[in-house]
Amino acid sequence: MDLKPVEWIVATLAGNWGEGARWECTPSDGVHEANILKIDWSKAAAGLGWKPALGLARSLEWVTQWYKGFYLGRNARDLCFEQLAAFSELATLEL
């Protein structure tokens, strides 16, 4: 299971975006944000023998590609279908 600190996640997203994208952590007296966020797929693995087809880093690449395409004026539906086709091809290779 990929377990990364939030700082790693946002730094990876900024790096994937490129073009000088950056982030900054500002201290706050407000609501506490967890230092580690995780999605636990262990029950699916144990009960179904399932595992994610994409690791965390690759998933973040795909998220960044989708949003960057959308903000550059690409059609959201087209972006979804392109990623579904790429995922389907990847899943077929994994079998």
Side-chain angles (χ1 to χ4, degrees), residues 21-91:
R22 64 182 188 85
W23 67 280
E24 113 182 22
C25 181
T26 56
S28 172
D29 293 331
V31 178
H32 169 71
E33 176 68 41
N35 290 326
I36 299 284
L37 301 175
K38 66 179 180 176
I39 297 174
D40 186 353
W41 50 270
S42 60
K43 285 185 181 180
L48 303 171
W50 180 88
K51 68 176 186 168
L54 301 176
L56 179 59
R58 194 159 187 194
S59 297
L60 293 174
E61 285 176 28
W62 284 35
V63 167
T64 308
Q65 289 170 358
W66 191 95
Y67 275 98
K68 195 168 188 178
F70 180 74
Y71 284 115
L72 291 173
R74 301 269 323 275
N75 180 283
R77 182 176 186 270
D78 292 343
L79 290 166
C80 288
F81 279 117
E82 287 172 14
Q83 285 194 338
L84 284 169
F87 183 80
S88 180
E89 184 177 322
L90 179 69

